[in-house]
Amino acid sequence: MKKRLILKVLGLLLLLPMFSGCNDTDDVAGIFTGKTWKLTYITKANGHGWYKFADVDDSNIMEYADGKKTFMLVFSGTVEDDIIQGTFTGSGAINANGTWSANGKNQEFGMKVEKGTPIAEKILEGMKKANSYKGSDSRNLYLYYQTDKENLCLVFAPN
């Protein structure tokens, strides 16, 4: 009798991993909300360092690179299934607000934003065109987008 009970318990323990399964979706609320994201730079996808826009003066970019100007984003939203959607506020050298959504299963991303100044236009263009993201709960947030010429990426770090 005791042997049967032990075998049943062992059998149930062996089945436990099958029921716990693997979750292949991102924790979108953990990635986006609960922190302020500071823009680090705009770069080519998978690149590092500021992208040189032909129609933006380098001194304007350097103000961001040197930290004289900043741009920060705060996301808020609610999660349903694998999708989070809500509002955001951008502040610093430019102000922006609007709506956004992200899909934790396939990393699709979208924003609706207002316009701003020269480099701000590039930041806001990237936010409007962003179609995917990569991120973690506490490190960098990457928002990827396509221009007429290249794949670019807005890179954010927690502030």
Side-chain angles (χ1 to χ4, degrees):
M1 183 73 165
K2 202 172 192 179
K3 267 187 173 177
R4 278 188 173 167
L5 180 61
I6 291 173
L7 287 174
K8 285 182 182 179
V9 169
L10 280 173
L12 288 173
L13 288 174
L14 290 173
L15 290 175
L16 188 59
M18 184 175 77
F19 293 116
S20 63
C22 183
N23 184 350
D24 62 350
T25 63
D26 288 342
D27 174 12
V28 286
I31 291 171
F32 288 96
T33 63
K35 61 186 74 66
T36 300
W37 289 104
K38 179 181 177 184
L39 179 70
T40 307
Y41 49 85
I42 303 172
T43 189
K44 286 185 181 181
N46 302 315
H48 300 285
W50 275 93
Y51 180 78
K52 302 291 184 192
F53 292 99
D55 57 346
V56 175
D57 187 301
D58 284 346
S59 64
N60 196 275
I61 291 173
M62 288 308 297
E63 290 180 311
Y64 284 87
D66 294 342
K68 292 177 185 168
K69 288 187 176 180
T70 61
F71 179 67
M72 289 174 289
L73 278 177
V74 176
F75 295 96
S76 63
T78 55
V79 179
E80 188 172 319
D81 297 323
D82 297 322
I83 298 174
I84 187 169
Q85 56 186 351
T87 60
F88 72 89
T89 303
S91 62
I94 59 171
N95 293 315
N97 57 38
T99 59
W100 70 284
S101 67
N103 185 320
K105 197 133 185 105
N106 61 18
Q107 286 80 39
E108 285 181 350
F109 183 84
M111 296 178 98
K112 292 184 181 172
V113 296
E114 297 175 5
K115 299 211 177 239
T117 58
I119 189 66
E121 286 289 327
K122 299 302 181 185
I123 295 168
L124 295 174
E125 174 188 6
M127 291 167 52
K128 283 191 269 186
K129 291 183 175 181
N131 56 19
S132 66
Y133 73 90
K134 285 187 183 175
S136 69
D137 291 347
S138 61
R139 293 187 304 261
N140 294 327
L141 172 63
Y142 303 92
L143 300 180
Y144 293 93
Y145 66 102
Q146 175 72 41
T147 68
D148 294 340
K149 299 177 182 179
E150 303 186 77
N151 290 322
L152 297 179
C153 178
L154 297 166
V155 180
F156 292 87
N159 186 28

